[in-house]
Amino acid sequence: MNMRPCSKYFGKLGQLGTVCTVFALFLTVTPPVSAAEINLYSYRQPFLLKPLLTAFTKETGIKVNVVYAKKGMLERLKAEGINSPADAVLTVDIGRLSDLVTAGLVQPVKSPVLETNIPPQYRHPMGLWFGLTTRARIVAAHKTRVKPGEIGSYEDLAAPRFKGRVCSRSGKHAYNISLVASIIVAKGEKAAQAWAAAVKGNLARKPQGNDRAQARAIKEGVCDVALLNTYYMGKMATNEKKPQQKEWAKAIRVVFPNQGNRGTHVNLSGVAVTKSAKHRAEAVRLLEFLSGPFAQKIYAEQNFEYPVKAGTPLHPMVASWGRFTADTVSLAEVARYRTLASKIMDRVSFDH
Ligand code: FE
């Protein structure tokens, strides 16, 4: 057995004759363990992911098997434990990302590529998750019933002039919990609770429906303002299957709250490498690819989201809403206050 190639490929390890021989035999007799394959659990939908993964496979030769899910990913990963076939998970909302951390299901990743592409506030300080896109939690305001300048902040939703004019989905939904958590970080528990109680007092109806249902309620005159994630504006405005949603979007003016101070609250879609990953290096390559210029452009084009990588062009409709300043607080910090935010929503009986 020639020692030189072994030294070359295995460094110091290769200089150990026996170990080298073992390695060499292993390489000769074992068919290539297809490490060029990874398993991905995804809350992100096929229409968004397929073009990205096709390009990734073309570039790297790594095949990606995807399990698409709408719910239950956390439970599944917990049940599968260290035997889980999943190498990486793709999900939306800082809440779900931090639940993976709390359950000990993900492992740290250090990558200069990820650190260059993703601003620090949008990734876990130890690399336990990485944001890929952001979405802003905007105020949707009726174009005529709400005067320009009448609402400019989340705090305004609590103002007496909005009595009976606010619609909301459940206060316990992850999107609202993250917003309340961001208010706790900015202003403290007491102020956040006072805000939640006052917004509840301004509600036009009991919290119900999803984000789009709030847009519909504004169009139908049930209320004048509501909180909405930005991408829903794009999805409604271009919905050919349910064209009535275009009318909902048309009734609304996009307001980026808190431009004069801490900035608009944003949330994330993100990715993490599982603790159980059998193909860690390949999974990291996928993360790097998803944070790179090609994937970031697709994200922007397909789903009306804001790519995390600076300099990625926005979808023209997203660009039409105007530039805004996002709250620069770390989302890992926001995630720490989610439990307290949830308690606050219970204390003020937001949903009842
Ligand atoms: Fe959503």
Side-chain angles (χ1 to χ4, degrees):
M1 196 67 58
N2 185 350
M3 285 290 288
R4 286 192 64 201
C6 290
S7 305
K8 186 175 160 196
Y9 293 117
F10 303 120
K12 279 190 179 149
L13 203 56
Q15 287 159 18
L16 303 169
T18 42
V19 176
C20 181
T21 308
V22 170
F23 263 117
L25 280 174
F26 179 79
L27 289 174
T28 328
V29 297
T30 316
V33 192
S34 191
E37 209 167 292
I38 58 172
N39 299 315
L40 177 67
Y41 286 4
S42 175
Y43 274 145
R44 305 242 73 180
Q45 297 166 49
F47 85 92
L48 179 64
L49 218 45
K50 274 187 179 153
L52 293 173
L53 299 181
T54 304
F56 173 70
T57 305
K58 207 173 153 196
E59 187 178 306
T60 62
I62 300 168
K63 190 182 161 213
V64 186
N65 308 308
V66 192
V67 174
Y68 291 100
K70 279 200 166 162
K71 52 183 174 184
M73 190 198 285
L74 183 72
E75 292 70 25
R76 180 170 177 165
L77 286 166
K78 272 186 186 167
E80 291 170 343
I82 207 68
N83 297 319
S84 174
D87 296 302
V89 292
L90 265 180
T91 186
V92 294
D93 200 87
I94 181 60
R96 294 207 183 96
L97 288 165
S98 60
D99 284 348
L100 293 169
V101 174
T102 308
L105 294 167
V106 289
Q107 61 169 300
V109 169
K110 197 153 172 51
S111 150
V113 175
L114 293 170
E115 281 157 30
T116 305
N117 287 340
I118 306 171
Q121 67 269 32
Y122 301 143
R123 51 182 158 85
H124 188 276
M126 287 163 61
L128 291 169
W129 51 255
F130 295 87
L132 295 171
T133 61
T134 68
R135 53 278 297 282
R137 195 105 182 110
I138 52 152
V139 169
H142 188 269
K143 272 183 182 160
T144 55
R145 296 197 305 270
V146 180
K147 310 272 170 298
E150 196 180 347
I151 188 154
S153 66
Y154 298 114
E155 286 75 7
D156 285 345
L157 288 170
R161 65 181 178 280
F162 284 104
K163 184 97 190 153
R165 297 171 69 194
V166 181
C167 276
S168 179
R169 79 188 297 167
S170 166
K172 300 292 293 277
H173 187 273
Y175 299 159
N176 286 337
I177 290 298
S178 292
L179 171 64
V180 175
S182 79
I183 297 174
I184 297 172
V185 175
K187 307 181 95 177
E189 177 181 350
K190 248 185 159 177
Q193 184 164 328
W195 177 82
V199 174
K200 183 206 155 54
N202 280 349
L203 291 177
R205 62 177 186 184
K206 221 167 113 164
Q208 57 196 270
N210 55 19
D211 274 18
R212 292 186 217 217
Q214 316 314 315
R216 177 182 184 166
I218 290 173
K219 162 71 185 165
E220 292 176 350
V222 178
C223 47
D224 296 340
V225 288
L227 293 164
L228 222 70
N229 280 358
T230 32
Y231 55 89
Y232 288 117
M233 285 301 293
K235 287 178 173 236
M236 291 189 298
T238 56
N239 197 331
E240 299 303 333
K241 280 190 193 154
K242 294 177 182 163
Q244 66 273 26
Q245 293 195 3
K246 293 184 182 182
E247 302 306 311
W248 307 349
K250 258 186 221 163
I252 286 168
R253 181 168 65 241
V254 171
V255 177
F256 290 101
N258 297 72
Q259 291 304 283
N261 43 65
R262 68 183 179 275
T264 298
H265 168 65
V266 296
N267 207 318
L268 288 176
S269 82
V271 66
V273 174
T274 61
K275 199 170 261 181
S276 64
K278 316 285 186 295
H279 312 105
R280 187 181 191 278
E282 290 81 1
V284 172
R285 265 193 101 176
L286 176 65
L287 267 58
E288 292 173 345
F289 178 84
L290 294 176
S291 72
F294 176 83
Q296 289 286 297
K297 189 166 168 279
I298 300 260
Y299 269 122
E301 281 167 3
Q302 301 259 344
N303 210 37
F304 306 101
E305 290 180 278
Y306 296 93
V308 288
K309 183 173 167 52
T312 311
L314 297 177
H315 186 289
M317 186 180 299
V318 176
S320 78
W321 302 327
R323 295 173 71 87
F324 73 100
T325 305
D327 190 343
T328 54
V329 66
S330 154
L331 283 171
E333 176 72 358
V334 169
R336 289 177 50 206
Y337 291 94
R338 285 176 59 247
T339 310
L340 182 57
S342 183
K343 277 187 195 153
I344 284 177
M345 292 315 236
D346 284 337
R347 284 183 206 147
V348 306
S349 302
F350 195 86
D351 286 352
H352 306 287

